[in-house]
Amino acid sequence: MWNTVSHILTSILPPVLPIRPRPDSAPTPADGTTTQDPTTGKMDAEGVYKPSITDVIVVKAMLVKGLQIPVEIADNIIELAEYWPHVTAEVTWGDERPNQVWSGESRENQFLLRTPPLGFPDWRTDTTSYTKTIHPRPPGEGYPTSSFQKLAKSPVTLLAQPCRRIVFTIRSKDQGWGGEYHNQNTYNGSWTWFEAGLERWCKSQIPDPPQPCESHEDPVQKPVRDDDDNDDDKQPSMNLEDLATVIPEVVVDPQSNEFNFNHPLLPRENVKIQCNKLTEREYITHVVEWNHDDDVDPEDEVAAKKLHDVGRGGQTGNGEFVRNMRIGDVVTVWGKTRFGGWINNISSVKVEVYWSV
């Protein structure tokens, strides 16, 4: 679709549309970081131009002011062309020294990567922010879209739920043996996989559970630390330590009486990104797209089987995760392994999140 729209636009305004290749000399660090320049777009490996926020705004202005196209039609052109800015995060360990997620209660659920907040490609320069596990904290009342718009250095979006696409690129394999014989060389019966998570800054947060010597009254949400008592003026801190976790669920551990991540034994079909192919000794690079307009009925058994056959979660084809994302939300990836002998060998993980301006 973009090629057709691009051809039409370039025939009208060839000197001004930012669709030409630009040099991309910055290498991708191996310890997890953003790879998208917040001020300029870039060409990807397939030669497709990835616009920045500025690019999109300039093109809209060209269409509206230069060609006198109504704003609504200009917006539709941008949407049909999928001319969206995006944020990217990537972490690489390599085929020779992969990150290994082993079975066992303390190590079978491993946090791997988080993206910059939706709409904020220049969020962090400290690359450890993208690979560091945060303290489990359940979400409270979320900030309105306007709070994030005030923090942005350029217009972010007028939409409360602007996400259009999430692309996961994962290179991995399991231990190369195991599983039932009839499942070999398939994705059935795999016990090494990846799940998506979600983090969010909240206006209020749930306090830590009371210790035995403290009061056992019902927990009350308290404001995130802020000296300003005016709720309308409060803005997200954008600090890593203030993030709350929406997915996976955060629950109180009855033994330690502390918040903990709840990781079920079985894969969660609505957030399972990809599992590894059984008895495959070579690394495989899987590219999984979740789109806002996906409409596969999660109750459709035939459609669910098609997703399962390629290693995806049976309920990830309905676009719900993408459509429910808000401005400022953070996508995370978790590596999973279950049962003795299974090992999730991870060479690299990359996540790209696209949104509409």
Side-chain angles (χ1 to χ4, degrees), residues 83-314:
Y83 198 66
W84 303 316
H86 75 298
V87 291
T88 304
E90 182 174 8
V91 60
T92 301
W93 294 276
D95 294 359
E96 300 302 320
R97 301 185 65 182
N99 181 11
Q100 294 185 315
V101 180
W102 296 65
S103 60
E105 185 176 356
S106 62
R107 56 188 181 180
E108 64 186 16
N109 304 291
Q110 188 175 133
F111 176 86
L112 301 176
L113 182 67
R114 69 169 48 82
T115 65
L118 178 62
F120 293 83
D122 56 349
W123 173 53
R124 286 280 184 174
T125 55
D126 174 14
T127 58
T128 60
S129 298
Y130 298 97
T131 54
K132 182 180 180 180
T133 306
I134 61 172
H135 178 71
R137 180 184 294 113
E141 179 188 359
Y143 284 97
T145 302
S146 57
S147 296
F148 289 95
Q149 290 171 331
K150 293 175 183 177
L151 290 174
K153 295 180 180 178
S154 60
V156 179
T157 180
L158 297 177
L159 304 175
Q161 296 166 305
C163 192
R164 292 293 179 264
R165 175 176 296 149
I166 303 174
V167 182
F168 303 94
T169 304
I170 298 172
R171 183 170 174 80
S172 62
K173 66 176 183 176
D174 68 10
Q175 67 282 349
W177 56 270
E180 298 180 347
Y181 180 78
H182 63 275
N183 286 332
Q184 292 186 6
N185 298 312
T186 74
Y187 294 96
N188 298 321
S190 174
W191 291 107
T192 61
W193 74 96
F194 301 86
E195 289 187 5
L198 187 68
E199 296 173 343
R200 178 175 293 159
W201 282 279
C202 296
K203 186 184 298 186
S204 59
Q205 65 186 37
I206 310 298
D208 290 335
Q211 296 302 309
C213 60
E214 298 179 6
S215 170
H216 289 275
E217 296 179 1
D218 291 336
V220 179
Q221 293 187 7
K222 61 182 180 181
V224 176
R225 56 180 183 271
D226 194 329
D227 294 330
D228 189 351
D229 292 331
N230 188 345
D231 255 7
D232 294 334
D233 292 336
K234 288 182 179 177
Q235 294 179 356
S237 71
M238 306 301 282
N239 292 327
L240 181 67
E241 61 270 17
D242 291 329
L243 275 170
T245 302
V246 181
I247 302 172
E249 181 186 13
V250 176
V251 297
V252 177
D253 186 324
Q255 295 182 341
S256 65
N257 203 38
E258 295 178 348
F259 285 131
N260 211 342
F261 297 115
N262 178 31
H263 294 285
L265 176 68
L266 303 179
R268 288 174 293 184
E269 295 298 322
N270 63 327
V271 291
K272 176 185 171 184
I273 304 168
Q274 182 69 45
C275 65
N276 290 308
K277 181 180 284 189
L278 268 66
T279 64
E280 176 59 60
R281 295 184 178 276
E282 301 297 325
Y283 283 93
I284 297 179
T285 300
H286 294 97
V287 180
V288 179
E289 281 193 11
W290 292 358
N291 293 285
H292 74 109
D293 55 358
D294 289 342
D295 60 356
V296 176
D297 184 353
E299 301 300 323
D300 185 335
E301 294 183 2
V302 174
K305 184 179 183 305
K306 289 181 179 179
L307 292 173
H308 276 294
D309 287 346
V310 295
R312 288 184 49 177

Side-chain angles (χ1 to χ4, degrees), residues 324-343:
N324 288 341
M325 281 193 65
R326 309 174 189 174
I327 194 71
D329 279 359
V330 174
V331 180
T332 61
V333 178
W334 293 76
K336 303 275 190 166
T337 300
R338 294 291 185 273
F339 307 122
W342 291 85
I343 306 172

